[in-house]
């Protein structure tokens, strides 16, 4: 332990390379349910040797490598896994081979589908309401923007929901 004041007195610059290990949730009402977990938290718990009970069905939301990893781990824990993804397969940022292997393992990849709300029973999430999407004009990322298709709502049941949509730094303790 070195006090930050000592470091500041000795050096002209300080670089804090802490990574982005805090998973973001969806911003949808109901995600405070105890069986809704971020992708990074889920994978960290499993890789740390913690026994994680996912139940019979898992929804993993996201298009990147964390989502695919969380889905494949959930499948290996015995769950049926569905991944709704709001864009088309060509726009998915996950490694292509990982996507193919996830499909080979029996993971249900639902393209052009986005979550809209949690279905809850008491304090637990029991599934998600989703809506089908179509691709519109390109957005700031250069990918075609997903646009909801009115009247195309559907539901997916789940014992656990893993939100693997993005990550950010955890600044706790740096104040």
């Amino acid at each position: 332990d070195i006090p930050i004041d000592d470091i500041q007195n000795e050096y002209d610059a300080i670089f804090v390379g802490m990574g982005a290990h805090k998973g973001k949730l969806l911003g949808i009402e109901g995600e405070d349910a105890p069986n809704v977990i971020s992708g990074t938290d889920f994978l960290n718990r499993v890789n740390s040797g913690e026994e994680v009970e996912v139940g019979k069905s898992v929804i993993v939301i996201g298009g990147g490598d964390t989502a695919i990893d969380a889905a494949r781990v959930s499948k290996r824990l015995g769950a049926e896994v569905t991944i709704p993804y709001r864009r088309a397969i060509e726009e998915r940022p996950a490694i292509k081979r990982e996507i193919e292997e996830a499909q080979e393992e029996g993971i249900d990849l639902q393209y052009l589908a986005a979550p809209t709300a949690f279905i809850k029973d008491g304090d637990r999430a029991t599934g998600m309401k989703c809506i089908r999407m179509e691709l519109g004009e390109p957005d700031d990322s250069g990918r075609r923007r997903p646009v909801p298709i009115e009247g195309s709502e559907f539901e997916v049941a789940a014992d656990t929901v893993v939100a693997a949509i993005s990550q950010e730094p955890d600044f706790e303790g740096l104040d």
Side-chain angles (χ1 to χ4, degrees):
D1 271 343
I2 302 171
I4 191 75
D5 292 338
D6 291 354
I7 297 171
Q8 287 176 315
N9 289 334
E10 190 172 338
Y11 297 95
D12 295 328
I14 302 170
F15 173 79
V16 180
M18 56 194 284
H21 302 284
K22 181 180 174 186
K24 290 184 179 182
L25 292 177
L26 302 164
I28 297 175
E29 185 176 340
E31 69 186 1
D32 58 341
N35 58 328
V36 176
I37 184 171
S38 76
T40 53
D41 189 33
F42 173 71
L43 291 171
N44 184 39
R45 288 169 54 190
V46 170
N47 288 321
S48 296
E50 184 178 328
E51 187 173 326
V52 180
E53 178 58 45
V54 295
K56 294 180 181 178
S57 59
V58 174
I59 298 171
V60 177
I61 299 150
D65 294 321
T66 301
I68 295 295
D69 289 348
R72 294 180 76 189
V73 167
S74 296
K75 184 73 175 177
R76 291 172 191 151
L77 290 173
E80 291 300 315
V81 183
T82 302
I83 306 176
Y85 180 59
R86 64 191 183 124
R87 297 183 189 271
I89 189 169
E90 306 81 41
E91 296 168 308
R92 185 171 205 126
I95 297 168
K96 184 179 179 184
R97 181 174 174 176
E98 293 282 332
I99 296 169
E100 291 167 354
E101 290 175 358
Q103 288 175 307
E104 289 170 9
E105 288 182 46
I107 293 168
D108 181 15
L109 299 164
Q110 297 263 335
Y111 291 101
L112 296 169
T116 59
F118 285 95
I119 301 166
K120 291 181 79 176
D121 183 8
D123 69 336
R124 293 189 62 81
T126 58
M128 298 227 47
K129 292 181 181 181
C130 298
I131 191 166
R132 299 275 176 212
M133 311 294 276
E134 61 186 355
L135 294 177
E137 294 300 314
D139 61 16
D140 293 341
S141 73
R143 297 179 294 174
R144 292 176 61 196
R145 184 176 56 87
V147 179
I149 299 172
E150 203 170 312
S152 66
E153 294 84 0
F154 65 100
E155 296 181 357
V156 181
D159 296 310
T160 301
V161 177
V162 178
I165 59 166
S166 189
Q167 293 153 215
E168 63 188 356
D170 184 355
F171 295 108
E172 188 174 324
L174 289 180
D175 51 334

